[in-house]
Amino acid sequence: MHNYALIHNGIKVGEQSSTNIISNPSLIFIEDMMPVDGSTYDAESKVFTAPVIAPEKIREISPDAMRDRFFFDERVLIDNSLSPKVVTFRNDLMFRRKPVSLDSPRFALAMQLLLSEQLIEVGRDITLLQDGTPDEAL
């Protein structure tokens, strides 16, 4: 059996097998492992390059992960705040069971509240709402 990669505009878009040898400039004979679809083919070097797949952005994290994003000193300030809004934020986060959406307008407002109360420094709001990591995801 002869295996071929189907090439369109320098990109592998499919595969074809045949018991006969095929002569077609769009079909590249493959002796070993078939490259993945989307691979770029360089006709001069006869080399396939696998596509670079960007990691999926994580925009929902666990409530524990969100709490862990705060520095210890920030958590102390939040825990000791007398502001009813800060106390509500702290309680909502502490007892939350659903994932935290880092795109939630409510969390953006909460970050503004923490900034206005000087419980976090300028710029920390951006850091606290940055993309999650795989270990932060649920």
Side-chain angles (χ1 to χ4, degrees):
M1 186 65 74
H2 302 282
N3 296 313
Y4 298 88
L6 176 60
I7 306 300
H8 181 70
N9 293 330
I11 306 292
K12 179 189 175 262
V13 294
E15 303 170 8
Q16 184 171 335
S17 296
S18 174
T19 55
N20 299 319
I21 295 175
I22 300 174
S23 179
N24 180 329
S26 295
L27 294 173
I28 306 301
F29 176 70
I30 304 296
E31 290 185 48
D32 298 320
M33 281 190 61
M34 184 65 69
V36 297
D37 284 355
S39 295
T40 304
Y41 180 68
D42 182 341
E44 190 174 311
S45 65
K46 298 183 179 183
V47 172
F48 284 93
T49 304
V52 176
I53 300 170
E56 185 177 326
K57 290 186 177 185
I58 297 172
R59 299 302 297 160
E60 286 192 347
I61 62 174
S62 72
D64 283 343
M66 187 67 209
R67 285 189 296 272
D68 288 346
R69 285 182 168 208
F70 287 94
F71 295 141
F72 178 77
D73 289 342
E74 292 169 338
R75 291 193 311 267
V76 170
L77 290 173
I78 291 167
D79 283 347
N80 289 297
S81 174
L82 300 177
S83 163
K85 290 179 180 180
V86 174
V87 170
T88 300
F89 165 75
R90 180 194 67 219
N91 290 341
D92 286 351
L93 186 57
M94 185 181 305
F95 298 112
R96 186 177 185 91
R97 289 188 173 82
K98 296 187 308 185
V100 172
S101 170
L102 299 171
D103 296 320
S104 166
R106 288 180 19 181
F107 270 92
L109 287 172
M111 294 303 113
Q112 293 307 310
L113 169 67
L114 298 178
L115 282 167
S116 69
E117 295 282 333
Q118 298 181 343
L119 301 175
I120 61 174
E121 292 184 13
V122 174
R124 280 289 289 148
D125 55 323
I126 295 167
T127 303
L128 289 164
L129 296 177
Q130 71 187 6
D131 289 344
T133 61
D135 61 312
E136 290 180 315
L138 294 174

